[in-house]
Structures are given as structure tokens and as C-alpha cells.
Amino acid sequence: IFLPHLAASLEVEETYIMIKPDGVQRGLVGEIISRFEKKGFKLTGLKLFECPKELAEEHYKDLQSKSFFPNLISYITSGPVVCMAWEGVGVVESARKLIGATNPLNAMPGTIRGDLAVQTGRNVVHGSDSPENGIREIALWFKEGELCKWAPTIDPWLNEIN
Ligand code: IDP
Ligand code: MG
């Protein structure tokens, strides 16, 4: 049955997903991208990137006062990261669920961190925690022209309305 009231309430969001240096070094790039692809979200930005210290500090500015902040910045800048923008209905919350809890010890099996990581300080992937931060972080990590707004032909098989 077609339910227009449900479809109309669906809101497309965007989220910033980043494979951290440990994920790249461990050869998990394909595995991690695959999980978001298979779920049905739309990739709108993708690049391998060596993150400058200033950008890492800006990205994680809310954690500035934490004792682990210096270690977090050296971790994120220790090697190339994979920057991604993903779009979809409920993508921010959904991606957080796919990623799992911050501490891999608490991340459920089946999640990226639950399956692929051991320690909080080496938890392989980042995902925006709100739609507002999704927009903020994509603007921070991508330049104008690096994002690709496209219409996958499978859209009607994933969403009731496009
Ligand atoms: P999140 O990545 O699940 O959103 P946040 O609390 O936003 O978690 O922390 C950002 C990142 O900082 C974490 O993913 C992790 O890499 C690192 N981090 C957070 N808490 C700790 C800690 O207690 N020790 C070491 N690293 C931490
Ligand atoms: Mg966070």
C-alpha cells in the first residue's frame, strides 16, 4: 500500500564518515565502505587524504579539554584517512548504529567497531553525531566541487519517494 503521509515525513540527511588511519593501514577500506553501500545509502563524496593537524583539531574541537585530546590528534594525523559523505533517509542515526559504540568493547557484534576494532583509541571509523554536525563536517573536510550530487537509478527500490 502506498502511504503518502509516511513518505512525506521522510527527510534526507547527510553524514560525514571517515575511515581513520588504523582502518586504512589495516586494509579495511573496502570492508567499511561496503557496509554503507550495502545498507542502501548514497555516496556523494570520497577521497584519500592526509589530514593536517589544524583540521583534526577543528573537527574534534568539542573534545579539546579531554585528557586524550593530544593522543586523538596524533592518531588522526598518523596516516591517510578516507573521507566520505553519505546521503539518505535517517543516515546520521543509521550510520552511528552501523558503526557501533565508541568503545569497541561495548560495540555489538555486527557493527563495524564490534567486528573490527578492540580499543577506543583505535576504533577505525568516525560518523557524525547529528544532522547539523553532518553538514558542518562535510563542509569542513570537502571543498566545493568535490561532492557529487547524483541520482542512483535504484532509488525507487530503496525509498518510497524520491
Ligand atoms: P564517537 O567517535 O563515537 O563519536 P566521541 O566521544 O565523539 O566518540 O570521541 C571521538 C573519538 O575520540 C573517538 O572515536 C575515539 O577515537 C576518541 N576517544 C574518545 N574517548 C576516548 C578515550 O577515552 N580514550 C581515547 N580515545 C578516545
Ligand atoms: Mg563524536
Side-chain angles (χ1 to χ4, degrees):
I1 315 165
F2 181 53
L3 300 167
H5 60 286
L6 275 186
S9 71
L10 300 180
E11 282 215 20
V12 176
E13 299 170 350
E14 31 184 14
T15 192
Y16 177 66
I17 302 294
M18 178 167 70
I19 305 173
K20 297 177 178 181
D22 49 335
V24 176
Q25 295 288 348
R26 291 174 55 204
L28 298 174
V29 171
E31 163 85 33
I32 292 172
I33 292 179
S34 187
R35 294 190 179 212
F36 296 97
E37 249 187 339
K38 284 181 195 160
K39 172 73 176 174
F41 294 126
K42 176 167 74 174
L43 184 64
T44 58
L46 173 68
K47 66 179 178 186
L48 188 67
F49 184 62
E50 278 178 297
C51 171
K53 190 165 181 268
E54 298 68 37
L55 179 55
E57 286 169 347
E58 176 62 23
H59 175 79
Y60 282 123
K61 66 179 177 194
D62 291 350
L63 300 173
Q64 234 160 18
S65 61
K66 304 283 184 188
S67 59
F68 60 80
F69 188 73
N71 285 345
L72 174 59
I73 300 307
S74 34
Y75 164 43
I76 294 302
T77 58
S78 63
V81 294
V82 172
C83 310
M84 292 182 276
W86 288 89
E87 196 178 279
V89 173
V91 70
V92 172
E93 188 184 341
S94 197
R96 296 279 294 187
K97 285 182 178 160
L98 291 175
I99 288 169
T102 303
N103 184 344
L105 190 61
N106 303 323
M108 295 297 285
T111 65
I112 295 169
R113 288 167 175 168
D115 288 347
L116 306 173
V118 178
Q119 276 216 316
T120 305
R122 296 289 184 270
N123 61 4
V124 302
V125 66
H126 165 83
S128 308
D129 62 9
S130 67
E132 296 70 36
N133 276 333
I135 291 163
R136 177 184 84 88
E137 292 170 4
I138 289 169
L140 194 61
W141 289 85
F142 287 97
K143 291 187 203 132
E144 199 93 19
E146 286 182 331
L147 298 168
C148 190
K149 297 288 173 183
W150 57 299
T153 53
I154 57 157
D155 260 357
W157 300 105
L158 289 160
N159 297 290
E160 286 187 85
I161 269 193
N162 306 298

